[in-house]
Amino acid sequence: NPGHQPASILSFTLSQLLGKLRDGSLSPESVFYTYMDKALDVTRELNCVTDYLDDSESQLLHMKNQGKKGLLFGVPISIKDSIGCKGHDSTLGLVKRLQKPVTADAVVIQVLKHQGAIPFVKTNVCQSLMNYDCSNLIFGQTVHPVDHTKTPGGSSGGEGALIKSGGSILGIGTDIGGSIRIPAAFCGICGFKTTGNRISKRGIVPSFHGQKSVTVGVGPMARDVDGLVLCLRALLCDKMFQLDPTVAPLPFSEEVYSSSRPLRIGYYTTDSFTMPSPSMKRAVLETKHLLEKAGHALVPFKPLNIEHFMNTLVPAGLFADGGATFLESFQGESVDPNIKELLLLAKLPGWLRSLLSWISRAISPRMSKVLRSMKEKSVNQLWKFHTEIEEYCHEFIAEWKRLNLDVVLCPALGPAFKIGFPGKLSVGASYTILYNVLNCPAGVVPVTTVTEKDEEDLKTLRGHYNDMWDRTFVKAVERAIGLPVAVQCVALPWQDELCLRFMKEVEKLSQEKQRKC
């Protein structure tokens, strides 16, 4: 395509690109081949693309005869490995899932195509999706776009790296404990986890089937909040509600998203479990200041008993079967080094876990409690545990309501970890997995970068417990000057549009501040 200008096409925002595709000043072909070329260039450096979706070319041919143009007409979209695309594998980084192409597109892919989007590549993930690094023994390690010694995050790390580097303008990920939000924060893009049943999960392969304690969310990843909103407008349509009647038939609420009333915003700089890095804390406080200056009310908010939540509820929920379902994925499978520590814990027989829990009480109380919580439950015990989870959610929301909050501002994990460290620090997901269990919509917006002062302050960071995990956290985030740092925005379940409206406000104020600097 010698006539088109790739540099200008790549510079357009999603909104601008859609405008030019709809008025005919850009053809779907020129946009598609520009992004395909760029994606190939990016993956040569970062190793983020795992598969080319050849159906994209037949879509291009059919577009010439298409009458009605959908809301995402002609937009190339990258897709996380675990999301089913007809004729292609969803590997989850597991060799046993190779050469097993799915027979139908996932519902979310069908809806994207219905809206004129062109899914064109699949992107890399961590093995089994149960980690927030991005490597496996099939496709290897994806590296951070800015610093190749760092991870882009995971499990939707291939998406984060590709979008940040300009090889995709919009992507779709999944999130069980931060798998959209962590890579978006690490890479410096926007990512949004919807309420659990707002977008269909039919045709998407989960990390392991059956567990109900930690809710998976599906959502978009993009360069800006406008990109997230355009994607949600397109997905929340009659086509999706017809294809999957189990999804709540709620179209996108323009009234909620476009409201300009001042918000009452809860905020916290630490969850009192994972000590935030200096840049995480500064990002929240600077954003709080900007929001107050813009006329919003900021109210201190303390998350409910996060120590019990992380040490007991999360491991007990994810491993209520003693880890049996998780281990099934690895039968006959070579193990990626980044998942070895979690796999080792899951493999321990119950009696040995109990013994290690008792031995480690003095030196690592957190590890001791986690080990004790990973035991297999009877049906009776599981039902009681589900009741405990429900009660925790009700108490958390009751405190939110008591303070009359609209939304919450809190840290997003960051800056990007050194490669290999996420596997040593599953507890680092405390800031994100909370909102999977609560089933709250949550998104991240980049607002700053790591400064020399942040790096200096990190040297004296001791953590809340000053234990092995706290010390490992400091090592994971050091040497990160210039890397992006985000904040996390949260709303109550089913208030996705309010959360996006809050994210847009944060983005606007942050960008205005940066322009003045």
Side-chain angles (χ1 to χ4, degrees), residues 39 41 130 203 252 307 427 445 517:
D41 284 343
M130 285 296 289
F252 190 88
E307 182 171 353
V427 292
V445 181
C517 294

Side-chain angles (χ1 to χ4, degrees), residues 49 57 62 84-85 96 153 195 238 250 266 273 275 277 306 317 327-328 404 408 423 443 504:
V49 173
E57 294 184 46
H62 291 140
C85 296
K96 68 174 66 176
T195 303
D238 288 341
L250 297 172
F273 186 79
M275 178 68 80
S277 64
I306 296 296
L327 291 174
E328 283 174 10
N404 196 28
V408 163
K504 180 65 180 175

Side-chain angles (χ1 to χ4, degrees), residues 147-410:
D147 181 345
H148 294 183
T149 69
K150 304 279 188 174
T151 174
S155 57
S156 309
E159 285 299 317
L162 185 64
I163 294 167
K164 176 63 176 180
S165 302
S168 175
I169 198 167
L170 181 64
I172 303 294
T174 63
D175 188 311
I176 191 175
S179 298
I180 287 172
R181 289 161 289 160
I182 291 174
F186 279 13
C187 291
I189 63 170
C190 295
F192 184 64
K193 177 198 80 70
T194 57
T195 303
N197 221 32
R198 195 76 196 267
I199 294 176
S200 174
K201 287 174 271 195
R202 284 186 61 188
I204 298 175
V205 184
S207 45
F208 46 95
H209 293 273
Q211 77 82 23
K212 299 294 183 184
S213 303
V214 184
T215 306
V216 178
V218 182
M221 301 170 72
R223 297 176 197 168
D224 53 34
V225 177
D226 284 345
L228 306 177
V229 171
L230 286 165
C231 185
L232 263 294
R233 282 188 182 124
L235 287 173
L236 299 176
C237 66
D238 288 341
K239 181 74 172 177
M240 184 170 70
F241 308 146
Q242 291 163 8
L243 288 169
D244 187 355
T246 67
V247 170
L250 297 172
F252 190 88
S253 174
E254 297 294 346
E255 180 183 357
V256 172
Y257 179 68
S258 61
S259 170
S260 58
R261 70 174 178 83
L263 295 170
R264 186 170 169 84
I265 303 164
Y267 76 94
Y268 57 95
T269 59
T270 178
D271 62 6
S272 300
F273 186 79
T274 302
M275 178 68 80
S277 64
S279 57
M280 287 168 67
K281 183 176 180 179
R282 178 174 58 81
V284 172
L285 292 175
E286 288 179 356
T287 304
K288 168 189 175 284
H289 178 66
L290 292 174
L291 289 162
E292 284 175 326
K293 280 179 66 178
H296 302 286
L298 275 290
V299 181
F301 178 71
K302 184 176 173 61
L304 180 70
N305 200 353
I306 296 296
E307 182 171 353
H308 175 68
F309 174 82
M310 284 300 296
N311 288 338
T312 304
L313 297 186
V314 169
L318 289 173
F319 298 98
D321 62 351
T325 304
F326 177 60
L327 291 174
E328 283 174 10
S329 299
F330 289 91
Q331 287 178 359
E333 195 80 22
S334 296
V335 180
D336 185 271
N338 290 317
I339 197 78
K340 273 187 175 175
E341 290 195 20
L342 180 61
L343 194 64
L344 178 62
L345 291 181
K347 279 183 174 178
L348 293 174
W351 68 266
L352 185 52
R353 270 196 221 128
S354 298
L355 177 62
L356 288 173
S357 172
W358 182 80
I359 292 170
S360 61
R361 281 183 304 172
I363 56 172
S364 184
R366 289 197 285 180
M367 173 67 83
S368 174
K369 290 171 185 173
V370 167
L371 286 168
R372 195 163 64 241
S373 300
M374 290 176 69
K375 59 188 176 185
E376 184 177 357
K377 294 173 177 55
S378 67
V379 174
N380 177 261
Q381 289 170 329
L382 183 63
W383 288 358
K384 287 180 179 177
F385 174 73
H386 284 164
T387 302
E388 185 180 358
I389 288 273
E390 286 177 13
E391 288 171 352
Y392 179 86
C393 294
H394 291 323
E395 286 180 41
F396 192 103
I397 291 171
E399 177 63 9
W400 184 306
K401 290 288 192 182
R402 186 186 72 78
L403 294 170
N404 196 28
L405 303 179
D406 294 308
V407 290
V408 163
L409 171 72
C410 58

